[in-house]
Amino acid sequence: MPEDFLQLHLKALPYFRALLRSIEATFYQDLELPSPILDMGCGDGHFGSVTFDRKIDIGVDPDLPSLQEAQTRQAYHSLIQSDGAILPLPAGSIASAFSNSVLEHIPHLDRVLAELGRVMRTGAPLVFTVPNPGYRSELSFPRWLTRMRLPGLAERYTEWFMRMSRTWNMFYEPGWQERLQTAGFEIERTFRYFSPRALSVLEWGHYFGAPTLLPRKLTGRWIIAPTNWNLALTDRIVRQYYEEPRTEHGTYSFYLARRI
């Protein structure tokens, strides 16, 4: 029976993050990722620990507290503190890599892609998920403000939301193809997912999920009672988005590229 990634993520994360991450976790289940595997932007290691049924060879992240938390999950053979632009790895030493909802946050994106190109073997797959420009254009509150004839306020809110979510790199397929080709990759497969309706759940979750900040600060856990009864209503509300089909109007994009 396929893993219920929504339940696994709801028990550990604020619901809006759980929704997106659980959808993305399903994409990796039929992928062949040979070892050694590199996770670029592993964070606290939760996604890697839930998504894969084996240890990942190398996790990379610039944030030391996140790496320390990842260490406790025991989902990685080794962890490296780095912003991704310089990796202490030999050229051609990595057989596959993935980066889940990370590349949009990196200001020096081209340097990171070039470094991935250096450390990955010829033919090695690179899998990543990122928001596309729909993440910006389909935000629900700015669209409402625009309908209220407040376009200036809508734009200011949008800019604030991008800064708050630290989202800078949003491209459609041609933009990613250009950057990947420069770094020595070619796109093998891509599709869009996460409808504008699902994005609204994510957008408003930043506010409705704020109460989870307190237990996180006090206990290190986002969810105090990760039980089925406590999460039943949340599950019922967000499961429809977890199960929705992929759509060309999706605000996020999946890419499978290959080192050439």
Side-chain angles (χ1 to χ4, degrees):
M1 184 175 179
E3 198 79 68
D4 187 349
F5 288 108
L6 180 59
Q7 269 291 308
L8 292 174
H9 282 81
L10 283 174
K11 290 179 177 180
L13 300 174
Y15 76 90
F16 64 99
R17 285 179 55 193
L19 172 61
L20 180 60
R21 296 294 171 259
S22 61
I23 292 170
E24 291 167 340
T26 66
F27 302 156
Y28 293 83
Q29 302 313 301
D30 60 351
L31 293 177
E32 188 173 333
L33 298 178
S35 294
I37 306 173
L38 172 68
D39 179 356
M40 177 62 75
C42 65
D44 62 13
H46 180 265
F47 183 82
S49 69
V50 171
T51 303
F52 299 93
D53 57 6
R54 55 172 168 159
K55 272 194 172 185
I56 300 163
D57 297 280
I58 303 169
V60 176
D61 202 88
D63 186 64
L64 182 57
S66 293
L67 289 175
Q68 291 170 335
E69 185 173 349
Q71 183 68 47
T72 67
R73 300 185 191 280
Q74 300 183 343
Y76 296 83
H77 289 294
S78 64
L79 294 164
I80 298 172
Q81 185 180 14
S82 169
D83 67 0
I86 300 176
L87 297 173
L89 300 170
S93 60
I94 299 299
S96 62
F98 70 94
S99 186
N100 199 79
S101 288
V102 170
L103 298 180
E104 69 270 22
H105 303 305
I106 298 177
H108 49 285
L109 173 63
D110 292 336
R111 289 165 54 201
V112 170
L113 292 176
E115 185 68 347
L116 281 170
R118 182 188 71 82
V119 302
M120 293 181 68
R121 300 170 185 170
T122 300
L126 168 63
V127 178
F128 64 95
T129 60
V130 284
N132 60 49
Y135 177 84
R136 180 186 177 100
S137 64
E138 296 299 328
L139 289 173
S140 63
F141 191 49
R143 286 189 287 122
W144 179 81
L145 289 171
T146 299
R147 289 197 297 271
M148 295 296 103
R149 299 183 180 180
L150 296 168
L153 189 57
E155 182 61 24
R156 286 194 293 275
Y157 173 88
T158 300
E159 291 296 336
W160 172 83
F161 195 88
M162 295 301 108
R163 291 194 302 273
M164 182 272 296
S165 61
R166 299 179 296 107
T167 305
W168 315 117
N169 305 314
M170 291 170 288
F171 315 114
Y172 283 125
E173 293 80 1
W176 278 110
Q177 180 166 329
E178 179 182 352
R179 287 164 177 82
L180 289 165
Q181 283 182 340
T182 300
F185 294 91
E186 63 180 2
I187 296 175
E188 190 169 289
R189 180 158 60 100
T190 182
F191 57 81
R192 299 178 190 175
Y193 63 99
F194 215 64
S195 70
R197 290 180 66 237
L199 179 66
S200 294
V201 174
L202 182 75
E203 176 187 353
W204 290 99
H206 284 83
Y207 314 117
F208 296 140
T212 60
L213 290 170
L214 182 59
R216 173 67 172 176
K217 186 174 182 62
L218 294 177
T219 70
R221 296 166 57 183
W222 293 103
I223 309 300
I224 292 296
T227 59
N228 291 338
W229 65 264
N230 184 47
L231 298 169
L233 179 59
T234 305
D235 184 298
R236 183 176 179 181
I237 293 171
V238 302
R239 185 165 291 276
Q240 61 182 306
Y241 304 106
Y242 173 65
E243 296 177 345
E244 71 179 10
R246 298 167 189 171
T247 169
E248 65 181 45
H249 303 296
T251 58
Y252 277 71
S253 298
F254 166 95
Y255 288 89
L256 168 59
R258 201 166 293 275
R259 183 72 170 91
I260 54 178

